[in-house]
Amino acid sequence: MGVRSWLARRAVRAARVLVVECPGSWEVRVAVERAVRARGWRLALSPASADVLVVTGLADGEMAEIVERHWDAMPGPRARGRAESAAAVADVLDAAVLDLVDDGTQRTDADGRSGSASGDPARADDSTGHGDMDHGEMDHGEMDHGEMDMAPDGIPLAGASEHDRDGLEMDELPLRLGPVLPAWPAGLVLDLVLHGDLVVAATGSFVPVGAPAEVGAALVGARRCDDLAAMLDLAGWPDGAARARRARDAALDGRDEVAVTVLSALRRRIESSRTLRWSLAGAGHVTAESAPGFHVPEWLVGDCHDRLLVLADRARAATSGEGADVSSAELVGPETVAALVTGLDVGEARLVVASLGATAVREVVDV
Amino acid sequence: MSDASSLTTVGLPGLLLWAAALLALAVGAVALDGVLAARSEGAPLRPSLTRVVDETARLLRQRRRAPLSADTLVWRVGSSGLVVAALLMVAVVPFGDHVVSDLDVGIVWFNTMDVLVWALVWLLGWGANSAHSLVGGYRFLALALAYELPLMFALVAPAVGAASLRLGDVAAAQSGLWFVVWMPVAFAVYCLGVVAFSVWGPFAVPAGHDLAGGVLAELSGVDRLLAQAGRYALLAAGALFAVPLFLGGGAGPALPGWLWVPVKASVLLALFVLARRTLPSVRPERLMEVGWVVLLPAVLVQDLVVAVVVAVRG
């Protein structure tokens, strides 16, 4: 017993938290991130690596199903909580600690689960198209195999492709990106068809939510810093991302001058970093014709490095009080995003989405 | 080159000591990385010092969970094999006068192990039956195509310089001048190869943030522990192997030879860890260009220079 509880107490100090950000709960998600960091915990990149699931905001309808799927994919010991406001975050995490170290709770939880492993949530989505079928049954390998020969365990096999690029036959692999992904706009879903890791077709949408998310003018500066941090995370420069988050936190705490100082220094480092320029140059190059049938806002033209600089400039402008609002000319709709990532590999597609900035990716009513 | 191999072979029981040295270096790398990360994020430093213990406890306590229809055998071969490959690499590294196995083809042995890593990381990506993992596997193969040939030719330079593939001879051949001094290109390419096969730093894209962890995305429990330990162990093994290869082996003032080896290795390992914080990720297709157009010719010229020097000298 002694060893077991010692193990539990040690384990909980390195807890990993998977945050599910429901649209409109940006502030709460950031509060969770800050609390996680302050405790010396880490954020999880995938449900398999997570101990704690924290849902921020209100998860209803389709979002609630998605949350359940991710909860199912967590190995356990596991704990979950929902934070509706930034003030509630500390209590949610404290409760999660108690749940995690309590062997009794964990054993009951484990006993209540089906013996078979649940699927990769991203994959489970694909098997059901656009999420309008019953996911619960598909996930647990309880399907009747006789009915779905092409889909052992409910997962469709990679099919032969109709998109013929070069005369070589390729398998098609469906992949759903979002809505639960690190450094990803809340609620955005991209359904991709892959050849290897190349996106040959994509459709974009938002998980339907009750109230449309509006960005309060007071938060725009901090949000733009967060967009910059997400982009730097995906560019694989953790130190740069940490600086952008420091600026974000300063802006949230009302210390705008600190944020501006940090951002100015960061902007200089981004511009002078040859390795960053070399790695991003040419990635996700967008021209006015990149998304046939959609309006491409002018600021998108260029490659990911150009847009990274735009993100940095906007963050600095917003925190220093110039250009504090999000203009409608900046917005990019989900269908446009899907058109932009078609033809890129998955890594580039992720970079492109991040380079748009979560603040700008919105349901655009008037195109 | 004169006093050919006067090494004492300690055999398999000694492997435990070598494993302990590898573990100590890997733990040091985890701690250093944790402290650097905490410092840059403004997080408390204390938890990062005990993170090795805490994370191990966490993963030992966590259940193993496999995705639906995962090829668990293949997947677990991948996750557990990395540590083994790292240990087999250091088995031929002499600590002073002692070595686990005094292979006369030690350098080729190392090369074999690093090619084994190709298979292991690919199996890790394939076995999970998850799109993110699979794409991570593709990415590793793309990186490996770019770094492997330059790495092989980088390994050739010290072998030619010492006229031997035995690590003891290579270390002994540097009594006058360390190979790193007159084979800087080979050393740089070697370091790049080590960082790349450890899926580390700028070459961590197969396990990237954008793939939700890529080849590591679906791992949990002891499988994750082994895979992560394997990455750090490979990094440490690469640093240890560089000591007889380029850094004069156990030669050094004051300290005994067996101690100089881990001391030199830990300095190199610390540099590897620092590289992660300062350099952004390299997209695989960018590395391909550099690997074959710049690094490969450069390291071939290095080999040529070494061969000419050796021929002229003797």
Side-chain angles (χ1 to χ4, degrees):
Chain A
M1 254 349 250
V3 176
R4 192 183 283 269
S5 65
W6 177 82
L7 208 60
R9 273 183 288 115
R10 299 289 340 177
V12 83
R13 292 187 201 187
R16 288 194 183 245
V17 180
L18 184 70
V19 189
V20 178
E21 179 188 0
C22 296
S25 63
W26 180 87
E27 226 180 330
V28 191
R29 191 258 294 165
V30 171
V32 175
E33 281 186 17
R34 296 182 71 177
V36 162
R37 197 180 52 199
R39 283 166 191 250
W41 293 4
R42 303 251 172 119
L43 294 172
L45 293 180
S46 63
S49 62
D51 310 293
V52 182
L53 178 76
V54 177
V55 181
T56 65
L58 182 65
D60 53 2
E62 195 180 333
M63 202 65 198
E65 286 174 29
I66 292 164
V67 169
E68 286 312 310
R69 271 206 306 284
H70 282 78
W71 175 243
D72 272 345
M74 283 169 60
R78 54 183 188 164
R80 71 194 287 182
R82 191 163 78 83
E84 277 189 79
S85 68
V89 168
D91 289 340
V92 168
L93 295 185
D94 284 340
V97 171
L98 291 180
D99 270 359
L100 277 181
V101 296
D102 184 349
D103 276 329
T105 312
Q106 293 304 331
R107 210 167 297 127
T108 318
D109 176 42
D111 290 343
R113 301 177 77 172
S114 61
S116 66
S118 89
D120 161 18
R123 178 63 76 84
D125 278 334
D126 311 326
S127 63
T128 55
H130 284 73
D132 44 11
M133 287 177 65
D134 186 354
H135 295 287
E137 283 176 31
M138 305 294 271
D139 280 352
H140 295 282
E142 289 154 6
M143 295 288 302
D144 180 353
H145 289 252
E147 279 177 28
M148 285 184 77
D149 284 328
M150 293 307 289
D153 292 334
I155 301 174
L157 296 172
S161 165
E162 291 160 21
H163 304 79
D164 186 9
R165 283 176 299 132
D166 47 13
L168 292 172
E169 197 173 309
M170 289 290 288
D171 278 352
E172 288 192 332
L173 182 67
L175 173 68
R176 170 171 281 199
L177 290 183
V180 184
L181 262 188
W184 184 259
L188 179 68
V189 172
L190 286 185
D191 283 301
L192 310 179
V193 176
L194 301 182
H195 281 181
D197 72 342
L198 190 77
V199 180
V200 290
T203 50
S205 60
F206 271 103
V207 177
V209 282
E214 262 316 308
V215 183
L219 287 178
V220 170
R223 290 192 63 141
R224 292 206 187 279
C225 294
D226 196 50
D227 292 351
L228 180 61
M231 178 64 188
L232 291 171
D233 261 337
L234 291 194
W237 186 30
D239 263 21
R243 280 161 211 257
R245 289 207 179 87
R246 208 179 305 152
R248 174 195 74 187
D249 296 346
L252 277 177
D253 296 342
R255 293 178 292 130
D256 281 343
E257 64 292 343
V258 178
V260 173
T261 316
V262 172
L263 284 170
S264 302
L266 180 58
R267 169 70 162 77
R268 276 197 300 278
R269 282 203 55 177
I270 291 172
E271 199 163 24
S272 64
S273 166
R274 285 197 200 154
T275 42
L276 199 60
R277 180 182 298 274
W278 170 72
S279 185
L280 291 180
H285 193 88
V286 168
T287 64
E289 289 81 42
S290 287
F294 297 100
H295 167 71
V296 176
E298 204 167 318
W299 74 275
L300 296 185
V301 174
D303 59 22
C304 281
H305 191 264
D306 300 329
R307 288 192 295 275
L308 171 63
L309 291 175
V310 174
L311 288 182
D313 286 339
R314 285 193 177 151
R316 195 175 49 176
T319 45
S320 61
E322 317 151 21
D325 43 306
V326 181
S327 78
S328 60
E330 185 192 316
L331 300 185
V332 189
E335 298 88 357
T336 316
V337 176
L340 288 175
V341 302
T342 307
L344 307 178
D345 66 51
V346 175
E348 249 184 300
R350 287 292 318 264
L351 280 171
V352 165
V353 174
S355 73
L356 307 177
T359 314
V361 179
R362 214 91 68 72
E363 202 72 70
V364 183
V365 186
D366 180 26
V367 177
Chain B
M1 270 167 272
S2 49
D3 56 340
S5 189
S6 54
L7 295 177
T8 318
T9 305
V10 295
L12 276 184
L15 191 59
L16 279 180
L17 281 175
W18 266 246
L22 188 64
L23 182 70
L25 280 173
V27 166
V30 178
L32 178 61
D33 185 50
V35 169
L36 290 174
R39 218 189 50 158
S40 95
E41 287 166 10
L45 284 184
R46 237 174 56 92
S48 57
L49 292 174
T50 54
R51 180 164 305 276
V52 181
V53 180
D54 298 339
E55 181 78 3
T56 307
R58 180 180 87 89
L59 291 174
L60 284 178
R61 192 168 174 255
Q62 195 172 62
R63 286 182 199 92
R64 304 165 104 176
R65 197 156 175 79
L68 205 56
S69 297
D71 192 334
T72 35
L73 175 66
V74 155
W75 194 35
R76 282 172 185 158
V77 166
S79 59
S80 54
L82 295 175
V83 185
V84 178
L87 190 55
L88 290 178
M89 275 179 190
V90 295
V92 295
V93 174
F95 278 62
D97 302 329
H98 293 78
V99 68
V100 175
S101 170
D102 191 16
L103 274 189
D104 52 5
V105 287
I107 291 179
V108 179
W109 175 256
F110 175 85
N111 201 189
T112 314
M113 290 307 128
D114 101 64
V115 173
L116 181 65
V117 173
W118 283 50
L120 294 172
V121 178
W122 168 250
L123 292 184
L124 201 54
W126 169 264
N129 189 30
S130 138
H132 277 131
S133 292
L134 183 65
V135 172
Y138 290 145
R139 281 191 186 174
F140 185 75
L141 293 190
L143 278 183
L145 275 176
Y147 76 72
E148 188 63 44
L149 271 183
L151 174 60
M152 283 180 177
F153 284 105
L155 292 172
V156 166
V160 172
S164 170
L165 289 168
R166 188 194 301 268
L167 276 183
D169 298 344
V170 176
Q174 301 173 59
S175 52
L177 188 62
W178 289 5
F179 282 168
V180 63
V181 179
W182 63 289
M183 305 176 187
V185 177
F187 179 67
V189 170
Y190 169 84
C191 290
L192 188 139
V194 168
V195 174
F197 72 57
S198 309
V199 197
W200 182 257
F203 309 111
V205 282
H209 212 90
D210 53 343
L211 291 180
V215 292
L216 304 174
E218 300 296 336
L219 289 165
S220 58
V222 71
D223 299 321
R224 189 179 197 84
L225 179 64
L226 283 171
Q228 288 286 28
R231 284 173 74 201
Y232 281 98
L234 281 171
L235 204 61
L240 268 175
F241 202 86
V243 176
L245 208 55
F246 291 103
L247 304 175
L255 296 179
W258 61 268
L259 197 53
W260 267 116
V261 175
V263 167
K264 290 175 184 175
S266 43
V267 172
L268 188 57
L269 185 58
L271 292 178
F272 290 163
V273 172
L274 280 173
R276 176 189 186 181
R277 307 232 62 88
T278 46
L279 297 174
S281 293
V282 175
R283 292 185 301 121
E285 68 263 35
R286 302 298 292 194
L287 186 68
M288 197 64 194
E289 211 174 285
V290 173
W292 285 53
V293 178
V294 181
L295 296 183
L296 193 54
V299 79
L300 281 172
V301 170
Q302 172 83 89
D303 289 346
L304 182 69
V305 169
V306 171
V308 168
V309 168
V310 167
V312 167
R313 253 198 341 207

